[in-house]
Amino acid sequence: MYSNFISLSKKAFESLGEQALFLGSFFRNIFRRDFEWNELIRQCYLIGYRSFPIVALTGFVLGFVLTLQTNPSMKEFGAQNMVPGMVSISAIREICPVIIALICAGKISSGIGAELGSMNVTEQIDAMEVSGANPIQYLVVTRILASTLMIPLLTIFADGVAIIGGFIGTNISGDMSLSLYFRKSIAALVFSDIFPSFIKSVLFGFVIGFVGCYQGLHSNRGTESVGLAANAAVVSASVWIIIIDAIAVQITSAFVYN
Amino acid sequence: MEENVIDIKGLKKNFGDKEVLKSVSFSVKKGENMIVMGRSGEGKSVTIKCIVGLIWQDEGSVKVFGKEVKEMTENELKEMRTKVGFLFQNAALYDSMTVAENLAFPLTRVLKIKNAEEIKTRIHETLDSVGLEDTVDKMPSDLSGGMRKRIGLARTLIVKPEIILYDEPTTGLDPITSAEISELILAIQKKNNASSIIITHDMQCAKITGDRMVLINEGECIGEGSYEELQHSPDKFIQSFFK
Ligand SMILES: Nc1ncnc2c1ncn2[C@@H]1O[C@H](COP(=O)(O)OP(=O)(O)OP(=O)(O)O)[C@@H](O)[C@H]1O
Ligand SMILES: [Mg+2]
C-alpha cells in the first residue's frame, strides 16, 4: 500500500517533469524560422470552424435554460427585469468559458491525442524526425497555437449565442424586445466581467492543445495506446481546466472585483 | 574509396529484460550495398534505428561518416539525418497528406526548396521511378500495401540521400515489382554512388542488390561475406537461408 503510493507519486512527478520539458520544447520551437503558417491555418479551421455547431448549440441551451430556471424565482421578488443581466453575467463570467472548454477538451484534446497517438504508433513521427524535419514545429506548435487562438473565439461566440438563447427564453413567458433585452444584458456587464474570462479561455485553449499533443506524442507502441492517449488527453485536460478555473476565481476576486 | 560510412561495433540493446542485440558489429563502405538478414524479431530494425538515433543503444558504438552518433549535438544529428534516407518497414506515410504532399514534405522542410516547379518535377520523376505516377493526388489510405511501400521508397529517395537504410523494401510485393524495386535500388547505388543497408528476407533482392551480406542471429553477427560465399558456407543455419 505504502510502496504503491510511493511509486504512484513518483510516476506523477516524472510525468510532470516530462510535461515541463515538453512545454520548454514548445516555446523553443515557436520562434524557429519557417513558421508553418499553412498548417496553423488548417488547424484553426479544423479546431475552430468545425466546432461551431456544437458550440452554438451549447451556448444557446445554456442561455435558454439559465433564463427559464431563474425566471420563476426572480418573478417572486418582482425582479424579472434583472434576468437578462444575471444571465449574461453568469454565462460570460463562468458558465460559457468552462462548459465550452470542457466540451472542447472532449472534442479537440482527444482528437489531437488520437491523431498524434496514431501517427506515433505508425512511426510517422519517427519518419518526420529521421528525415531531418521537426515534428514539434510542424505538429505541436501549430496545434497548440490554433487551439489557444480558437477556444477564446469559440467562447465569445458561445457568449453571444447564450444571450440570444436567454432572449428567446424570456419571450416564452413574458415579452421584451430584442433591443431592450440586449441593452439590459450588455449594460449589466463591466470590463472586469469580460477581461478575466477572456484570459481564462485563452489558458483553457492552451491547455486543450498542449495536453492533446503531449498525450499523443507520449503514447506507447501498439494500437490500443491510441485510445488510451485520447482518453488520457480528455481526462487530464478537464482536470487542468477545473484547476485553472479554481485558481482564476481566487485571483480575480482578490484583484479585480474589489 | 575504402572508407567506412557506417561503422557498428559491439552494439547491445535490451528492452526491459529482453535481450535483443548482444553484440552486433559490421560496417558499410562508401558506395556499397550491405544486406542484413536474420530471423523475424532478431532486432534488424532496431539496429538501423540505432544508426539514425531513433533508438539509443545500451552499449557499443555506432559511427556514421566517422562520427559517433551518441556524441553528436542536436544540429549534427539533424545534419546527419538529412544525408541518411530511411525506409520504414511499414512505409510510415503521413496519412493526413496526399502522396504529392508526402513527397514534397522532405523537399520543403528539409532541403528548403521553394520553387514549386522544381518540386513538381522531382515528385514526378521519383514517382515515375517507382512506377506510380498516377497516384499523385491519392491519400495513403486509398493505396494498397505494396503501393504504400513504394511511395515510402519514393519519399526516401526524393532527397537523394548519401546513405539509404532500407527496411524490407520488397516485402509484400509481387515478384515482378520486387525485381523492379531491386533494380531501382541497384540503379540508385550506381547513379548517386549511394551506400545502403538493405534488410530483406527476399533472396532474389539480396542477390541482385547486395555487394556483401551479414547474418544476424540471437543478437550477434554469425556470418559475413558475399552472396556466393555465404551460399556455400558449411554452416547449417546459414545454409537454411538459401533454400
Ligand atoms: N521501441 C521498442 N520498445 C520495446 N521493444 C522493442 C522496440 N522496438 C523493437 N522492440 C523489440 O525488439 C525485438 C526486435 O525487433 P525488430 O523490429 O528489430 O525485429 P526485426 O528483426 O526487424 O524483425 P522483422 O523481420 O519481423 O521486422 C522485438 O522483439 C521487438 O518486440
Ligand atoms: Mg523489422
Side-chain angles (χ1 to χ4, degrees):
Chain A
M1 177 70 193
Y2 181 65
S3 68
N4 224 339
F5 177 74
I6 296 259
S7 79
L8 224 85
S9 41
K10 203 175 141 206
K11 258 206 190 120
F13 273 108
E14 273 172 10
S15 135
L16 265 179
E18 271 183 11
Q19 292 188 33
L21 286 179
F22 191 60
L23 190 65
S25 72
F26 163 72
F27 282 113
R28 254 182 290 125
N29 281 290
I30 290 187
F31 302 107
R32 286 264 162 95
R33 278 186 301 141
D34 304 312
F35 187 81
E36 300 278 353
W37 289 107
N38 287 339
E39 178 67 6
L40 178 66
I41 291 165
R42 197 175 78 91
Q43 288 303 324
C44 284
Y45 169 79
L46 291 176
I47 291 174
Y49 186 73
R50 291 273 187 88
S51 305
F52 262 109
I54 189 169
V55 166
L57 180 68
T58 312
F60 180 82
V61 170
L62 284 177
F64 186 74
V65 169
L66 217 52
T67 304
L68 292 189
Q69 299 270 28
T70 45
N71 234 341
S73 32
M74 297 300 259
K75 210 173 194 170
E76 270 178 38
F77 298 113
Q80 242 175 324
N81 63 342
M82 286 174 72
V83 170
M86 218 192 100
V87 168
S88 68
I89 287 183
S90 42
I92 288 172
R93 258 198 206 171
E94 176 66 22
I95 298 179
C96 277
V98 173
I99 299 284
I100 296 302
L102 288 175
I103 285 181
C104 290
K107 185 173 186 295
I108 294 163
S109 246
S110 69
I112 296 176
E115 186 194 8
L116 297 194
S118 78
M119 289 185 75
N120 200 9
V121 169
T122 55
E123 299 182 307
Q124 293 175 50
I125 311 255
D126 284 349
M128 254 180 216
E129 207 173 322
V130 153
S131 76
N134 184 341
I136 303 284
Q137 185 180 15
Y138 180 75
L139 298 169
V140 173
V141 169
T142 50
R143 279 166 179 73
I144 295 181
L145 286 184
S147 78
T148 311
L149 284 173
M150 295 321 283
I151 303 297
L153 292 182
L154 288 172
T155 305
I156 291 172
F157 173 66
D159 291 343
V161 179
I163 292 177
I164 294 172
F167 168 72
I168 292 173
T170 317
N171 273 336
I172 284 181
S173 49
D175 94 282
M176 197 187 279
S177 75
L178 183 63
S179 70
L180 179 64
Y181 186 88
F182 259 100
R183 248 179 293 135
K184 274 186 182 291
S185 44
I186 305 282
L189 291 171
V190 287
F191 180 71
S192 63
D193 292 320
I194 298 169
F195 185 68
S197 119
F198 179 75
I199 298 295
K200 204 159 71 173
S201 63
V202 170
L203 289 177
F204 290 160
F206 180 81
V207 161
I208 285 168
F210 179 82
V211 168
C213 290
Y214 173 80
Q215 295 295 349
L217 285 193
H218 291 77
S219 63
N220 291 326
R221 292 145 47 84
T223 15
E224 77 285 355
S225 52
V226 176
L228 293 179
N231 194 14
V234 180
V235 173
S236 100
S238 307
V239 170
W240 275 114
I241 286 165
I242 287 162
I243 292 175
I244 289 174
D245 195 44
I247 296 172
V249 74
Q250 306 290 333
I251 295 175
T252 42
S253 53
F255 293 99
V256 185
Y257 296 149
N258 301 332
Chain B
M1 278 304 219
E2 281 302 277
E3 65 196 289
N4 290 339
V5 287
I6 297 176
D7 232 322
I8 301 175
K9 278 210 184 75
L11 194 63
K12 181 167 150 45
K13 177 72 194 176
N14 295 350
F15 288 108
D17 304 331
K18 192 170 157 39
E19 248 187 345
V20 176
L21 302 176
K22 285 187 199 133
S23 171
V24 168
S25 309
F26 63 91
S27 57
V28 181
K29 296 191 186 72
K30 176 97 188 118
E32 179 181 52
N33 280 348
M34 183 67 155
I35 307 284
V36 174
M37 293 183 70
R39 296 177 57 180
S40 188
E42 282 297 337
K44 304 181 296 296
S45 299
V46 171
T47 305
I48 60 169
K49 282 180 186 170
C50 287
I51 296 174
V52 287
L54 272 182
I55 290 179
W56 299 103
Q57 71 269 31
D58 298 333
E59 277 168 41
S61 123
V62 178
K63 285 186 186 161
V64 181
F65 299 119
K67 214 162 160 68
E68 185 68 43
V69 177
K70 252 189 170 170
E71 289 161 9
M72 288 182 182
T73 63
E74 197 182 324
N75 279 336
E76 284 172 331
L77 188 63
K78 202 174 161 183
E79 166 93 19
M80 179 270 275
R81 284 171 169 174
T82 63
K83 293 185 197 157
V84 178
F86 196 112
L87 172 66
F88 281 82
Q89 189 164 354
N90 58 14
L93 299 181
Y94 308 134
D95 44 31
S96 60
M97 305 179 199
T98 64
V99 167
E101 287 166 339
N102 261 281
L103 297 192
F105 193 87
L107 293 182
T108 53
R109 302 313 193 289
V110 183
L111 300 187
K112 314 268 183 204
I113 297 174
K114 297 273 175 345
N115 182 341
E117 210 41 52
E118 186 185 347
I119 292 176
K120 218 171 152 187
T121 10
R122 267 175 97 158
I123 289 177
H124 194 78
E125 259 174 37
T126 318
L127 278 182
D128 194 41
S129 69
V130 297
L132 287 174
E133 314 89 279
D134 50 348
T135 60
V136 191
D137 294 319
K138 290 225 167 81
M139 295 304 281
S141 52
D142 299 334
L143 303 176
S144 75
M147 287 159 104
R148 292 166 65 92
K149 189 113 218 184
R150 284 187 281 162
I151 299 296
L153 182 61
R155 191 180 67 188
T156 308
L157 297 180
I158 199 167
V159 294
K160 303 201 168 88
E162 293 173 39
I163 298 179
I164 307 162
L165 310 175
Y166 300 94
D167 200 341
E168 308 197 4
T170 59
T171 306
L173 302 180
D174 61 278
I176 300 171
T177 318
S178 283
E180 280 170 11
I181 294 297
S182 302
E183 293 297 339
L184 176 65
I185 292 174
L186 202 61
I188 299 278
Q189 177 198 22
K190 296 267 152 25
K191 198 167 121 207
N192 304 349
N193 194 23
S195 326
S196 308
I197 292 181
I198 303 158
I199 297 177
T200 187
H201 300 293
D202 174 357
M203 293 317 288
Q204 208 54 37
C205 170
K207 192 172 180 180
I208 298 174
T209 58
D211 297 312
R212 275 193 307 147
M213 301 175 69
V214 57
L215 256 135
I216 297 178
N217 192 38
E218 293 180 351
E220 292 178 49
C221 298
I222 55 162
E224 191 177 329
S226 69
Y227 186 91
E228 282 73 26
E229 278 165 14
L230 288 188
Q231 190 175 25
H232 301 115
S233 154
D235 190 309
K236 277 259 160 22
F237 181 78
I238 296 178
Q239 276 284 311
S240 62
F241 274 85
F242 290 84
K243 283 190 187 119

